[in-house]
Amino acid sequence: MLPYTAEVLFALFDEYNQAVRPLQGVALFLTAGVLMLALRSRENRSRVIVAILAAGWVWTGTVFHLVYFTELNFAAPAYGVVFILQGFLLFWSGVWRNRISIRFQRKPASYAGAAIFILSALILPVIDWHHGLSWTEARFALLAPGTTAGLTLGLLMMVDRRPPLWVGAIPVLWTTIVGAHAAVLGIYQDIALTAAGLIALFWLVARARVLLEQIDDMDHL
Amino acid sequence: MSPRKPAQPAQPTAFRQPFDRRSFLAGAAASGAGLSLGITPARADIRPKTGPALSGPAISGPVISGPAILRAIPGTVERIPVIGMGTWITFNVGGSRRLRDGRAEVLRTFFDRGGTVIDSSPMYGSAEDVIGYCLDKIGKRESLFGATKVWTPLIADGEDQMAESRTLWGVKKFDLMQVHNLVNWEGHLETLANDKAAGHVRHIGITSSHGSRHSQMARVMADPRVDAVQLTYNIVDRSAEQRLLPLAAERGLAVVINRPFRRGELFRRFAGHPLPEWATEIECTNWAQFFLKFVISHPAVTCAIPATSEVSHMNENMGAMYGALPDTAMRARMIRYTESL
């Protein structure tokens, strides 16, 4: 049982979005830019992509969770810490150590990743609008927790090297939490994020196992 | 029922009139005398949201006149209205001015219908802040019986939390301070006893909303520092009748009932069916009153605290505070009827 209703949650997004205006424009520009960089990825562009993602996680954890959501939900401070942690994990792995290489390839995983990306960046806000919500109640990727997690998972599915499992753990966990909240609050469109999280988890684990088996085979040669 | 020592008169504050027996009896008489209540027609459907709380439907239907039902806090001369108001979820609306103003109208209706007891907790998000906002807006602190909770495992944080609650509500003291869900009750009871001696709290209570904690509740109820217990009881969840309610009566404890509607589930289950014709014998014209009168008709119950975010539902709830209450035979009949549905 959650201590608030869907009406109250979207009223909070309204308050939050009005307070951080015009950052929504910046977030939309960066979201589009991240997708373009992923589609045309070259050396060092992955670092830019991950840096933007990391900034989105830190912002959402610090501002949305610790300043706004904490008013409604006593668990929000913990959420904020986890989001900030995820931001630092992404930065450390993908920017500092350059271990996350994001490059769209003509493979099912990349297409699935792109679909999850578009779901988070575009489809969910459109569904919210279709349900009568205004733009100030929208959940912009890089500014709102669920869509930021979805965006991240979509991009992680476009990684062309060994996928960093542990940078996907928190986004997958968050999409699961989103699904649980969605069921209680009746925001059923968010269950699509949970499905996306499960797809991403499956792919990340399966790919890691394939790579481990390949490494194992090479060791035996 | 073992007698308990009378409550000490509350210290006068800038927010409340001085407490004495005369003012309380006068207040009780004023709240009851001349109060007539138009009751909304019986609803055979689930209690739907009627839109913004400001736009509740006009009250119509049979008029119930007579005094509001008050119950004594055992061992004291203090009497409180038998229907209060909970704030879990319903008053956790954050900073939205629109939603806060809507809740202010719900609260105004509550006070206008004779209510005084409001229950909240730091666990309920922004509910305490919203209560303070609403009380400021409608200016009703004089008649308020404020009940909140201390909810932290750390004793050191308890004092700060209770002080913050007083600030948020805009009151100098609480009428009832409860240990929420028995979290570190041993430590907090000691703190609360000191606060009561210092005049910061008038009554001390414990709460539980979990049926599985009845054994622990029974043990804590034996503590002489406890004045009140809050627990779950409704026409479906009646396990408290076996042990906790008789024990509370035996110990002379006030009983506050949460979840009288089982968090709305009773409406989902039963409101699609018609009220029985004999519900008119206890002056019930809607399911809310049917459920609430069942709860408050138990002799051990002091007050029930249904929560709502709708003015129309508040009118329905407060209607249960007037008119006849079911006797033992009628209570059994009410149970049989719901079980048959």
Side-chain angles (χ1 to χ4, degrees):
Chain A
M1 198 77 188
L2 294 173
Y4 52 87
T5 62
E7 180 190 23
V8 171
L9 178 63
F10 284 110
L12 182 78
F13 275 109
D14 176 69
E15 183 188 355
Y16 166 64
N17 280 325
Q18 300 223 40
V20 303
R21 186 164 49 180
L23 280 183
Q24 294 84 7
V26 176
L28 286 170
F29 175 79
L30 290 175
T31 300
V34 156
L35 183 60
M36 290 299 109
L37 289 173
L39 292 175
R40 303 177 182 184
S41 184
R42 296 178 188 173
E43 194 63 34
N44 287 330
R45 285 190 181 180
S46 290
R47 275 179 147 148
V48 175
I49 294 171
V50 178
I52 292 170
L53 285 178
W57 280 88
V58 172
W59 171 272
T60 304
T62 307
V63 181
F64 179 79
H65 280 305
L66 294 183
V67 177
Y68 285 87
F69 197 38
T70 194
E71 194 177 31
L72 294 185
N73 193 337
F74 55 80
Y79 295 159
V81 168
V82 169
F83 267 64
I84 293 168
L85 173 65
Q86 173 66 15
F88 280 108
L89 286 175
L90 280 168
F91 183 85
W92 182 72
S93 179
V95 181
W96 189 263
R97 301 185 69 197
N98 197 22
R99 292 294 180 89
I100 303 176
S101 172
I102 296 175
R103 184 171 66 91
F104 182 88
Q105 303 167 83
R106 294 182 189 277
K107 293 181 178 179
S110 281
Y111 286 111
I116 293 172
F117 185 102
I118 293 169
L119 167 74
S120 307
L122 183 66
I123 296 176
L124 281 176
V126 167
I127 294 175
D128 288 347
W129 169 78
H130 178 70
H131 283 205
L133 298 173
S134 70
W135 78 267
T136 55
E137 294 164 309
R139 296 170 288 170
F140 294 90
L142 301 177
L143 297 180
T147 46
T148 300
L151 212 74
T152 303
L153 289 172
L155 289 165
L156 287 178
M157 288 188 69
M158 298 181 203
V159 167
D160 64 355
R161 277 187 251 154
R162 177 182 168 189
L165 279 178
W166 43 273
V167 292
I170 291 174
V172 167
L173 179 61
W174 187 256
T175 56
T176 306
I177 291 173
V178 165
H181 286 192
V184 172
L185 297 176
I187 310 174
Y188 298 113
Q189 60 267 36
D190 285 3
I191 293 175
L193 272 178
T194 305
L198 289 174
I199 292 169
L201 174 66
F202 176 78
W203 179 83
L204 287 169
V205 170
R207 180 148 166 82
R209 287 182 64 183
V210 165
L211 286 171
L212 283 172
E213 284 168 4
Q214 288 175 350
I215 292 170
D216 219 25
D217 289 342
M218 288 173 63
D219 285 345
H220 284 107
L221 288 176
Chain B
M1 183 186 305
S2 54
R4 294 174 65 86
K5 60 180 180 180
Q8 296 300 312
Q11 298 301 313
T13 71
F15 298 94
R16 302 176 62 221
Q17 293 177 5
F19 166 83
D20 57 32
R21 178 175 180 165
R22 177 186 293 180
S23 63
F24 254 87
L25 290 177
S31 65
L35 269 177
S36 61
L37 184 70
I39 306 298
T40 55
R43 292 191 186 184
D45 55 345
I46 294 171
R47 295 217 303 191
K49 277 192 169 291
T50 56
L54 285 167
S55 61
I59 298 171
S60 61
V63 172
I64 295 178
S65 60
I69 301 170
L70 306 177
R71 287 275 165 81
I73 295 178
T76 77
V77 298
E78 185 173 1
R79 294 165 65 80
I80 57 175
V82 76
I83 300 293
M85 186 186 82
T87 57
W88 166 246
I89 297 179
T90 53
F91 269 62
N92 182 19
V93 299
S96 166
R97 175 67 65 89
R98 175 181 63 85
L99 294 177
R100 285 184 171 219
D101 288 345
R103 298 310 183 266
E105 293 309 306
V106 173
L107 200 59
R108 191 193 305 278
T109 303
F110 173 73
F111 281 115
D112 287 348
R113 295 291 181 258
T116 66
V117 180
I118 299 176
D119 178 84
S120 192
S121 170
M123 194 186 92
Y124 302 171
S126 60
E128 292 193 301
D129 190 26
V130 174
I131 289 170
Y133 172 90
C134 294
L135 290 172
D136 273 340
K137 189 173 173 68
I138 66 176
K140 286 282 188 178
R141 281 196 176 85
E142 295 78 21
S143 59
L144 171 70
F145 185 102
T148 191
K149 307 179 183 74
V150 58
W151 181 64
T152 170
L154 303 175
I155 304 303
D157 287 350
E159 286 281 12
D160 291 340
Q161 192 177 76
M162 290 186 279
E164 185 180 7
S165 291
R166 289 194 294 271
T167 301
L168 291 173
W169 286 61
V171 298
K172 293 279 184 147
K173 68 167 66 176
F174 282 104
D175 299 277
L176 175 61
M177 180 60 73
Q178 306 155 100
V179 181
H180 198 157
N181 279 342
L182 300 175
V183 173
N184 199 353
W185 63 270
E186 302 95 330
H188 288 310
L189 278 187
E190 188 172 336
T191 305
L192 292 181
N194 294 336
D195 278 0
K196 185 176 179 181
H200 296 152
V201 164
R202 295 206 299 122
H203 305 288
I204 296 171
I206 55 174
T207 84
S208 171
S209 52
H210 303 282
S212 60
R213 291 189 182 178
H214 280 195
S215 293
Q216 188 180 18
M217 281 286 278
R219 285 196 301 274
V220 183
M221 285 165 68
D223 193 305
R225 295 169 292 184
V226 174
D227 301 315
V229 295
Q230 184 182 129
L231 46 87
T232 297
Y233 178 60
N234 55 63
I235 199 167
V236 174
D237 298 314
R238 302 191 305 276
S239 59
E241 290 177 350
Q242 306 306 316
R243 189 177 180 190
L244 295 187
L245 288 174
L247 183 59
E250 177 190 320
R251 301 260 334 143
L253 304 180
V255 176
V256 178
I257 298 298
N258 59 44
R259 302 189 188 179
F261 302 142
R262 222 191 201 197
R263 286 180 172 162
E265 184 189 323
L266 297 186
F267 294 107
R268 290 188 287 275
R269 282 175 65 173
F270 300 116
H273 301 277
L275 277 176
E277 289 181 5
W278 41 264
T280 56
E281 296 176 31
I282 52 173
E283 298 173 273
C284 285
T285 57
N286 53 65
W287 277 106
Q289 290 162 13
F290 187 92
F291 298 140
L292 286 172
K293 287 205 172 187
F294 176 84
V295 169
I296 63 177
S297 62
H298 192 287
V301 170
T302 310
C303 178
I305 49 169
T308 182
S309 58
E310 301 283 329
V311 169
S312 58
H313 296 169
M314 178 59 76
N315 277 316
E316 290 185 355
N317 294 348
M318 298 311 287
M321 206 163 69
Y322 301 85
L325 288 180
D327 59 14
T328 304
M330 177 64 81
R331 285 169 52 84
R333 201 175 179 188
M334 294 167 84
I335 293 170
R336 286 196 303 272
Y337 182 74
T338 54
E339 287 179 345
S340 71
L341 297 177

